[in-house]
Amino acid sequence: MSSQKSLLIRRARIILPDGELMVGDLLTRDRQIVEVAPQISTTTPTTEVDAEGLTLLPGVIDPQVHFREPGLEHKEDLATASRACAKGGVTSFLEMPNTRPLTTNQQALDDKLQRASQKSLVNYGFFIGATAENLPDLLEAKPTPGIKIFMGSMHGQLLVDQEGLLEAIFAQGHRLIAVHAEDQARINQRRQEFADIHDPAVHSQIQDNQAALLATKLALKLSQKYQRRLHILHLSTAEEADLLRQEKPSWVTAEVTPQHLLLNTSAYEKIGTLAQMNPPLRSPHDNEVLWQALRDGVIDFIATDHAPHTLAEKAQAYPNSPSGMPGVETSLALMLTAAMAGQCTIAQVTHWMSKAVAVAYGIPNKGAIAPGYDADLVLVDLQTYRPVLKEELLTKCGWSPFEGWNLTGWAVKTIVGGEIVYDQGKVNESVRGQALNFLE
Ligand code: DOR
């Protein structure tokens, strides 16, 4: 491991915790930020970075990714995924339990933590997955950001779609429950109705807005009944956003993905099954309502739902083509490009991709640029536009639904625990992230 004890970043445009911009310097020591000031002088031996013209943001915390290890490493693994994170300015991730074996008990969680400690270039946390039978594991496993429930869109043991079983989970314990909210009964019924259609665009009709709304309503009802901390993963419809706008208890949060903000059903025509994900892409109207809900604080933060599949898997005819698309490499640049186009501010993007996530999951000392916070940072270039190029992607799956999009705000340098892990196209393979802590 490299032993870079101290890093001095000079003349950066720094986004401060209140969203204000300050041109100045930042000093790190032993993994933490120790000083942020217009000008810093130091006598400690220090690596210096001249960041003139670049913007310094807290590193992105991506709270929903599928990194496929163990068991599905032909799609992605913790080394390739965390390199992709470093390139995308993502310094921490929260990973989902649908790996093989499923992450449904302490042993499987410990195995993932062990693998990540050896391989992950960025910081990591792992959800524990709910089945019909593992309530004791859900209550006791640690460290974990929370319990993941697939209410729909999942096969096998991880599917918990019966109200009685869901209620048993909501009724016991206090820790955060994160739901994939789609109604499986409605999906099953509609899948039969549309069985003869192999155009991938039918995916958005089968798993329609109503399927998402029904499940989100049920999760909200149970959360209200037990005052249970609830997080709604990848909210995708105008109807769910309107529902939350009317009634959102203080203990409920929601996230949206860049693809549900920026892509819609018109993508099937251009990229076919590469646009297939769960919950599916929606209409331009849904895009607009989701943006407004995000700006108004109805939706709290951004997650990518990075879910890589190989091109060969995606080349199968619908419905045999798997759902999911990669995201960690492009999310920050996509959101900063939207900000530069006037959709929102840079300060909002950094709030949605760092601070708001740290607060929602109780991750201490992360998500802001201030003394005492961990030195997880990203320096971005907001002056240059460059396209998303397939040959530059680090994710093992090797494709992006955003190929050819011309983006700004690409990471120039990414810093994890005070060490430069990504530097203008080069990944420093010797850096290792740490396990995240979660305050309950
Ligand atoms: O599209 C999706 N793919 N949505 C999910 O929730 C799971 C994911 C996957 O693991 O492939």
Side-chain angles (χ1 to χ4, degrees), residues 376-414:
D376 297 335
L377 302 158
V378 56
L379 259 179
V380 300
D381 176 1
L382 287 166
Q383 277 151 21
T384 319
Y385 281 76
R386 280 198 298 115
V388 178
L389 295 176
K390 186 183 177 121
E391 53 275 19
E392 289 181 3
L393 294 170
L394 297 183
T395 170
K396 197 182 272 187
C397 74
W399 59 274
S400 163
F402 299 103
E403 249 172 87
W405 286 43
N406 207 27
L407 306 181
T408 190
W410 289 103
V412 175
K413 287 184 184 7
T414 305

Side-chain angles (χ1 to χ4, degrees), residues 64-68 72 75 96 98-99 148 150 152-154 180 182 203 233-234 259 276-280 305-309 314 322-325:
Q64 195 197 166
V65 299
H66 302 264
F67 282 172
R68 311 303 193 199
L72 300 164
K75 299 175 195 272
M96 287 296 164
N98 56 329
T99 38
K148 163 72 181 276
F150 283 92
S153 279
M154 189 48 59
H180 179 129
E182 289 191 273
H203 189 61
L233 298 158
H234 41 40
Q259 54 271 36
Q276 182 192 329
M277 71 168 293
N278 298 331
D305 194 18
H306 180 94
H309 299 284
K314 280 288 200 181
S323 292
M325 51 179 78

Side-chain angles (χ1 to χ4, degrees), residues 84-243:
C85 283
K87 174 156 167 272
V90 176
T91 52
S92 299
F93 64 80
L94 305 181
E95 208 260 356
M96 287 296 164
N98 56 329
T99 38
R100 305 287 183 278
L102 305 173
T103 321
T104 52
N105 56 39
Q106 186 69 49
Q107 191 189 352
L109 180 62
D110 285 342
D111 176 50
K112 274 192 173 175
L113 288 161
Q114 169 68 13
R115 288 165 182 271
S117 72
Q118 285 166 8
K119 289 179 146 183
S120 181
L121 277 53
V122 302
N123 306 308
Y124 46 86
F126 297 100
F127 281 89
I128 185 92
T131 71
E133 296 153 354
N134 70 341
L135 199 48
D137 299 288
L138 299 181
L139 297 173
E140 282 154 32
K142 61 173 184 265
T144 183
I147 299 165
K148 163 72 181 276
I149 305 181
F150 283 92
M151 298 172 73
S153 279
M154 189 48 59
H155 303 289
Q157 270 198 307
L158 276 187
L159 179 67
V160 184
D161 59 348
Q162 301 303 313
E163 184 165 345
L165 292 174
L166 288 166
E167 180 150 4
I169 300 171
F170 273 80
Q172 285 194 55
H174 304 281
R175 67 171 29 153
L176 179 147
I177 293 175
V179 291
H180 179 129
E182 289 191 273
D183 186 83
Q184 193 60 39
R186 183 174 172 90
I187 294 174
N188 291 345
Q189 179 216 322
R190 290 175 73 78
R191 195 165 279 155
Q192 284 182 3
E193 283 169 31
F194 292 91
D196 296 336
I197 305 178
H198 298 285
D199 175 351
V202 78
H203 189 61
S204 293
Q205 281 174 271
I206 295 174
Q207 300 187 200
D208 66 349
N209 288 32
Q210 192 59 26
L213 181 65
L214 282 171
T216 292
K217 271 190 177 160
L218 174 57
L220 261 183
K221 183 179 92 176
L222 294 172
S223 165
Q224 268 164 329
K225 182 164 177 187
Y226 296 101
Q227 302 211 348
R228 182 66 181 261
R229 173 81 180 89
L230 169 68
H231 176 65
I232 300 162
L233 298 158
H234 41 40
L235 193 95
S236 63
T237 69
E239 289 85 343
E240 292 165 284
D242 290 343
L243 174 70

Side-chain angles (χ1 to χ4, degrees), residues 6-61:
S6 183
L7 182 68
L8 179 60
I9 300 173
R10 288 217 183 272
R11 290 190 288 250
R13 296 155 50 85
I14 302 176
I15 305 289
L16 298 171
D18 60 2
E20 291 297 309
L21 184 110
M22 180 189 86
V23 176
D25 300 352
L26 177 145
L27 181 67
T28 77
R29 195 174 304 126
D30 297 332
R31 303 191 77 94
Q32 290 205 326
I33 300 168
V34 289
E35 197 179 346
V36 184
Q39 204 166 8
I40 296 174
S41 55
T42 173
T43 50
T44 3
T46 302
T47 304
E48 263 193 53
V49 170
D50 182 0
E52 196 171 2
L54 301 178
T55 304
L56 187 63
L57 311 173
V60 171
I61 308 172

Side-chain angles (χ1 to χ4, degrees), residues 356-383:
V357 179
V359 170
Y361 281 102
I363 306 171
N365 292 333
K366 294 210 188 282
I369 299 184
Y373 277 77
D374 292 343
D376 297 335
L377 302 158
V378 56
L379 259 179
V380 300
D381 176 1
L382 287 166
Q383 277 151 21

